[in-house]
Amino acid sequence: MLSLKRYTRIAKLARLAYYAYKMTYAMDQDSGNRATDSGSASAAEPRLLAAEVLERLRDLIIQGELAPGVKLNERVLCERLRTSRTPVREAIKFLASEGLVELLPNRGAIVTRITATTVREMFVLLGALEALAGELACANASEADVAEIRALHYQMLAHHTRGELTLYFRCNQQIHLRLVECAGNATLTNTYRALNGHVRRARYMANLSRDRWDHAVEEHQKILDALTRRDSVLLPALLRSHLGNKMAVVLDALASKPVE
Amino acid sequence: MLSLKRYTRIAKLARLAYYAYKMTYAMDQDSGNRATDSGSASAAEPRLLAAEVLERLRDLIIQGELAPGVKLNERVLCERLRTSRTPVREAIKFLASEGLVELLPNRGAIVTRITATTVREMFVLLGALEALAGELACANASEADVAEIRALHYQMLAHHTRGELTLYFRCNQQIHLRLVECAGNATLTNTYRALNGHVRRARYMANLSRDRWDHAVEEHQKILDALTRRDSVLLPALLRSHLGNKMAVVLDALASKPVE
DNA sequence: CATGATTAAATTGCATACAAAATAGGGCCC
DNA sequence: GGGCCCTATTTTGTATGCAATTTAATCATG
């Protein structure tokens, strides 16, 4: 009787080790295009179709291929993603709670529209989040973290001088994300990520003027300096105003190029 | 040719009006228990089974009936909620992106565990969000808004003196939510709501000592005063420290009563 | 009696089938 | 010609079926 109990408990461990070797195969499936961060499932885990669909859909929306306001036709998406409706539907539910799509009961889902109001709201919120992140980062960031951000900063400068806008954006994004990660608050990072998806979506429409661009780079220089000095008062303030300027840029773009 | 085009456009409007009367029946289905706010679907829209399931599940988790760490067995949940697996699965996906459950590929989902770390993270984040809300509320809140909060505050005081903890909590929650809503930033409100679900879950375990409780009430008094004076510097600071104290309480409870 | 492989049951993931609702089009009346 | 009702098609929402994977139980073995 007693042995049976112990057995089952130990068997669990044994099986875990046994199944471990099976996991290896899962890595193969992971070799697909993984340009964007997963966000939902860690890398070594077996890939589910629904997760794949989720990422594809999210990218389509963020990159504007599925424009704001368009209806997500399940049948069409199934054909496009070569799968059945179930994973697509589950992915849509997921996106809905991220706020990228809006659910209309019995009438499917549409890609959330980008309005001046929502952009303003998101940037205000992002400003607060990054300010918090900056404050925490001053306390928690390791020297290696700061060095990494510095490296990204210089890489970004290079892209700036060469006028490589897309690459610049990518570096920029990474710097901000890294900074938020330095705060050492996983919940904050997740919240930031979700919101940032929306902003990136808006960003795809914005076209920086050279003036604005130069100004943004200057701000980034100050931000880096403040982080290096671990100035936990200045850094949050800088980040907040930086976000405020970004907002102005996006709003301008939105005004000149109204959605739809 | 032209008339056909116009026709279809007008027909849409006509149909909208036509279907409007159908909507009325939907209200009946809405008469069920709607203790908590919906958050995802507005009231007048036709209720979907999946939405119903979502709310039920969320409540079960927040109220701790589905304890942290337990596995969500789809079959069991189906029986319990009298539905098939599809809506349950979709609801689980939704909850996963809210962070209330964790998806284990091929092995289902478990209710997210509450650790000291996550509690700390969430409260820090909530602190920043409420601080932002406070700042914005000072600028945006109408006199009616402030009056409403004041009313809730006095109601809360009544519950405090009578020692009615649950009712006190409810008022408390409402005050905080109302304050966040006063900021006039829907995105902020949504983010706050999602995070607050987690905190409420932790709160169900915490048992306030009288000292702590009295202290919390004092803080609320100061908060109300600051809001009344529209002190956009003091109010955020008060809210942040208030959240900090709440965190300490929850962490204490967590330490004395470790989860699972 | 503990450990490892093998088989059986349960559970998840995906695909499909059916029901209900939405949309689109055609006929009708004015 | 313009507006409304009614039917046909499409699309969504839910249930169910099947395959793959995980988990539990059984058996063999040193």
Side-chain angles (χ1 to χ4, degrees):
Chain A
M1 211 47 162
L2 178 123
S3 68
L4 191 76
K5 253 185 180 170
R6 263 203 69 178
Y7 169 66
T8 48
R9 217 168 61 209
I10 296 176
K12 240 177 211 167
L13 288 169
R15 252 178 274 113
L16 269 176
Y18 162 60
Y19 290 131
Y21 97 95
K22 278 194 171 177
M23 287 294 187
T24 50
Y25 98 99
M27 301 295 262
D28 293 275
Q29 298 191 26
D30 231 19
S31 57
N33 53 342
R34 315 270 289 103
T36 21
D37 41 33
S38 79
S40 59
S42 65
E45 283 178 343
R47 297 261 327 133
L48 291 183
L49 192 46
E52 198 82 38
V53 170
L54 174 65
E55 270 182 46
R56 294 265 293 123
L57 272 183
R58 183 161 30 209
D59 285 354
L60 286 177
I61 293 173
I62 288 178
Q63 287 166 25
E65 209 159 329
L66 286 172
V70 306
K71 196 155 126 40
L72 295 178
N73 185 309
E74 294 180 2
R75 199 177 45 74
V76 173
L77 290 175
C78 291
E79 285 171 12
R80 187 157 184 180
L81 302 173
R82 313 301 217 107
T83 159
S84 82
R85 283 176 55 212
T86 311
V88 171
R89 285 181 61 81
E90 294 187 348
I92 289 176
K93 288 290 186 302
F94 216 95
L95 290 171
S97 87
E98 279 183 25
L100 284 175
V101 307
E102 204 172 329
L103 298 178
L104 312 174
N106 288 319
R107 301 193 301 166
I110 61 169
V111 179
T112 310
R113 280 177 225 275
I114 302 176
T115 67
T117 305
T118 57
V119 167
R120 213 171 285 128
E121 288 185 355
M122 286 190 302
F123 271 102
V124 168
L125 186 47
L126 267 184
L129 292 184
E130 287 209 23
L132 173 65
E135 192 183 324
L136 296 175
C138 284
N140 293 342
S142 70
E143 284 306 320
D145 288 334
V146 178
E148 168 68 17
I149 289 177
R150 183 183 305 281
L152 283 168
H153 179 75
Y154 288 135
Q155 196 181 333
M156 187 183 78
L157 288 185
H159 293 314
H160 170 237
T161 52
R162 292 201 198 106
E164 299 161 344
L165 195 64
T166 310
L167 289 173
Y168 167 84
F169 271 149
R170 189 162 303 169
C171 268
N172 191 320
Q173 282 294 317
Q174 283 199 305
I175 289 173
H176 282 273
L177 182 60
R178 264 329 237 276
L179 198 112
V180 171
E181 284 173 346
C182 284
N185 185 323
T187 310
L188 172 59
T189 307
N190 287 339
T191 308
Y192 176 81
R193 266 200 157 95
L195 261 177
N196 204 36
H198 293 239
V199 172
R200 265 164 61 200
R201 192 154 71 104
R203 178 83 51 74
Y204 265 84
M205 313 182 305
N207 246 335
L208 237 53
S209 75
R210 191 76 206 186
D211 271 4
R212 295 264 207 187
W213 195 359
D214 292 347
H215 187 64
V217 171
E218 275 176 44
E219 286 179 344
H220 261 269
Q221 185 66 53
K222 285 184 196 164
I223 287 169
L224 180 61
D225 292 345
L227 175 64
T228 306
R229 291 199 315 277
R230 314 244 171 193
D231 189 333
S232 63
V233 176
L234 185 59
L235 181 56
L238 286 174
L239 285 168
R240 217 170 164 176
S241 80
H242 180 58
L243 264 288
N245 289 335
K246 275 193 187 174
M247 172 172 78
V249 172
V250 174
L251 282 178
D252 273 5
L254 203 65
S256 64
K257 195 200 303 180
V259 185
E260 307 275 294
Chain B
M1 212 43 158
L2 180 119
S3 68
L4 191 76
K5 253 187 182 170
R6 263 203 70 178
Y7 169 65
T8 48
R9 219 170 59 209
I10 295 176
K12 239 178 211 169
L13 288 170
R15 254 179 271 113
L16 270 176
Y18 163 60
Y19 289 130
Y21 97 94
K22 279 193 173 180
M23 288 294 187
T24 49
Y25 98 98
M27 301 297 261
D28 292 279
Q29 297 191 27
D30 232 19
S31 58
N33 53 344
R34 313 269 290 103
T36 20
D37 41 34
S38 81
S40 59
S42 66
E45 284 177 343
R47 296 285 295 156
L48 291 184
L49 194 44
E52 196 82 38
V53 169
L54 174 65
E55 270 183 45
R56 293 265 294 125
L57 271 183
R58 183 160 31 207
D59 284 354
L60 286 177
I61 292 173
I62 288 178
Q63 288 167 23
E65 210 159 328
L66 287 172
V70 305
K71 194 155 128 40
L72 295 178
N73 185 308
E74 293 180 2
R75 197 178 44 75
V76 174
L77 290 175
C78 292
E79 286 172 12
R80 188 158 183 179
L81 303 173
R82 313 301 217 107
T83 161
S84 81
R85 284 175 54 210
T86 311
V88 171
R89 285 181 59 82
E90 294 188 349
I92 288 176
K93 288 287 186 301
F94 210 95
L95 289 171
S97 84
E98 280 184 20
L100 284 176
V101 307
E102 204 173 329
L103 297 179
L104 311 175
N106 288 319
R107 300 194 299 163
I110 61 170
V111 179
T112 310
R113 287 195 169 80
I114 302 176
T115 67
T117 305
T118 56
V119 167
R120 214 171 284 127
E121 288 186 356
M122 286 189 302
F123 271 103
V124 168
L125 186 48
L126 267 184
L129 293 184
E130 288 209 21
L132 173 65
E135 192 183 323
L136 297 175
C138 284
N140 294 341
S142 69
E143 284 307 318
D145 289 333
V146 178
E148 168 67 17
I149 289 177
R150 182 183 306 280
L152 283 168
H153 179 74
Y154 289 135
Q155 195 180 335
M156 189 183 76
L157 288 185
H159 293 315
H160 170 236
T161 52
R162 289 203 198 104
E164 300 162 343
L165 196 63
T166 309
L167 289 172
Y168 167 85
F169 271 148
R170 187 161 304 167
C171 268
N172 191 320
Q173 283 294 317
Q174 283 199 303
I175 289 173
H176 283 273
L177 181 60
R178 264 326 238 277
L179 198 115
V180 171
E181 284 173 345
C182 284
N185 185 322
T187 310
L188 172 59
T189 305
N190 287 338
T191 309
Y192 176 81
R193 265 201 157 92
L195 261 176
N196 205 35
H198 294 238
V199 173
R200 264 164 62 201
R201 193 155 70 105
R203 178 81 53 75
Y204 265 84
M205 312 182 304
N207 246 336
L208 238 54
S209 74
R210 192 73 207 190
D211 271 5
R212 295 264 207 190
W213 195 359
D214 291 348
H215 187 64
V217 171
E218 274 176 43
E219 287 179 344
H220 261 269
Q221 184 65 55
K222 285 184 194 161
I223 288 170
L224 179 61
D225 291 347
L227 175 64
T228 305
R229 291 199 314 277
R230 315 246 171 192
D231 188 331
S232 63
V233 176
L234 185 60
L235 182 56
L238 286 175
L239 285 168
R240 216 169 165 176
S241 80
H242 180 58
L243 264 287
N245 290 335
K246 273 193 189 176
M247 174 172 76
V249 173
V250 173
L251 283 178
D252 274 5
L254 205 64
S256 63
K257 195 199 304 182
V259 184
E260 302 288 289

